[in-house]
């Protein structure tokens, strides 16, 4: 693990990172979105550039400053993110799916702005359909067998199970090599510059990363990736 040594341990590697949150249009002025700011994904892209990687940053509705040295591809919807991810990850050594992807989108998008009907209390019912699971598709296809694929999951613990149990199950169902799990709900995670997480490995490993800057978590995630890359 090269962190802090100044070694460009990812030089010659192509790392693809998705960041932010997708938006699914309802009509020309409205969408279904989520609270992801893109900070963790941008921190990952920045850290990978620092460590010498060629970085492609798939940015979904993020308002942060560009990451110097990374190629930025802007996307809006889950469908656009899927297309960009499959295309840009074809030759990637590692793919980090930090974006929050909509699980559902309106089945039909209205061409015109949806208006209230005067004199009534009527409200529209918007029918939703499922989006494709980009991460699951990526691991199924695995464009290169040695590619390291990393998912992110924000979970809340509840009576049905602890955060790490959900994380372990998700790692399995997604088929990724690493899953970064963080507990949300306690006013942390989204808009903050800090994060706390567990990094679960397909190999059964579990690493706790204490509450701290998203840049620090980014470097630990990259440590785990670097350790798994084939020479
Ligand atoms: N993800 C994806 N495509 C989707 C949904 C999620 O690629 N349509 C990716 C996210 O980028 C993230 C990981 O899957 O890296 C986990 O996302 P999460 O929302 O926790 O998983 P879901 O399978 O959608 O499960 P849940 O029902 O708990 O939301
Ligand atoms: Ca989801």
């Amino acid at each position: 693990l090269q962190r802090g040594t100044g070694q460009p341990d990812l030089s010659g590697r192509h790392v693809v990172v998705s960041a932010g949150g997708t938006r699914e249009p309802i009509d020309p002025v409205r969408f279904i979105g989520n609270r992801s700011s893109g900070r963790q994904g941008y921190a990952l892209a920045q850290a990978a550039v620092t460590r010498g990687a060629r970085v492609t940053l798939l940015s979904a509705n993020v308002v942060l400053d560009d990451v110097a040295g990374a190629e930025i591809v802007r996307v809006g919807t889950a469908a656009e993110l899927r297309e960009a991810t499959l295309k840009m990850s074809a030759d990637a050594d590692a793919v980090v799916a930090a974006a929050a992807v909509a699980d559902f989108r309106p089945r039909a998008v209205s061409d015109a702005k949806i208006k209230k009907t005067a004199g009534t209390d009527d409200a529209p019912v918007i029918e939703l359909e499922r989006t494709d699971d980009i991460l699951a598709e990526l691991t199924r296809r695995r464009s290169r067998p040695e590619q390291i694929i990393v998912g992110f999951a924000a979970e809340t613990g509840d009576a049905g199970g602890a955060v790490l149990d959900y994380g372990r199950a998700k790692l399995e169902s997604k088929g990724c090599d690493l899953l970064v799990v963080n507990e949300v709900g306690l006013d942390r995670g989204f808009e903050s510059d800090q994060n706390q997480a567990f990094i679960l490995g397909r190999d059964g490993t579990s690493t706790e990363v204490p509450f701290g800057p998203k840049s620090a978590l980014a470097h630990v995630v990259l440590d785990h990736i670097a350790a798994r890359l084939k020479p």
Side-chain angles (χ1 to χ4, degrees):
L1 304 181
Q2 303 292 313
R3 184 157 67 103
T5 64
Q7 289 291 326
D9 62 344
L10 295 175
S11 72
R13 305 291 192 173
H14 181 204
V15 176
V16 174
V17 180
S18 72
T22 65
R23 291 179 177 179
E24 309 305 320
I26 297 170
D27 70 13
V29 296
R30 303 186 179 94
F31 58 81
I32 298 174
N34 63 68
R35 291 179 55 199
S36 180
S37 66
R39 281 192 176 84
Q40 186 61 66
Y42 271 49
L44 279 153
Q46 178 62 67
V49 167
T50 302
R51 292 164 71 147
R54 174 163 78 86
V55 177
T56 305
L57 178 54
L58 311 177
S59 177
N61 309 297
V62 177
V63 291
L64 303 171
D65 289 341
D66 288 354
V67 174
E71 181 193 357
I72 302 196
V73 177
R74 292 185 198 283
V75 297
T77 64
E80 289 166 10
L81 178 60
R82 173 183 173 273
E83 202 179 307
T85 302
L86 296 177
K87 180 174 169 212
M88 303 313 283
S89 64
D91 71 344
D93 296 285
V95 185
V96 186
V101 186
D103 294 324
F104 312 101
R105 69 178 156 229
R107 186 179 293 281
V109 181
S110 173
D111 290 335
K113 183 184 166 191
I114 298 170
K115 302 285 282 179
K116 289 174 292 190
T117 311
T120 76
D121 289 333
D122 286 358
V125 174
I126 298 169
E127 195 186 344
L128 303 180
E129 64 181 8
R130 290 276 287 269
T131 58
D132 294 320
D133 191 324
I134 304 166
L135 185 59
E137 189 170 350
L138 206 58
T139 62
R140 250 192 338 267
R141 292 189 178 192
R142 227 175 260 265
S143 55
R144 308 169 67 189
E146 68 278 19
Q147 193 170 67
I148 305 299
I149 301 177
V150 185
F152 268 71
E155 301 283 354
T156 54
D158 58 33
V163 168
L164 287 188
D165 297 331
Y166 287 130
R168 197 44 82 187
K170 194 165 277 183
L171 175 85
E172 287 302 321
S173 68
K174 299 279 186 185
C176 45
D177 301 287
L178 295 165
L179 188 76
V180 183
V181 184
N182 62 302
E183 186 165 11
V184 292
L186 311 163
D187 230 16
R188 53 173 65 176
F190 289 109
E191 303 293 327
S192 148
D193 282 316
Q194 308 237 92
N195 219 346
Q196 174 273 337
F198 287 86
I199 300 174
L200 305 182
R202 194 178 181 56
D203 40 16
T205 54
S206 171
T207 308
E208 181 170 9
V209 185
F211 195 65
K214 288 183 175 177
S215 58
L217 174 58
H219 275 291
V220 182
V221 172
L222 293 177
D223 289 344
H224 281 257
I225 291 172
R228 285 167 174 78
L229 288 171
K230 299 280 180 295

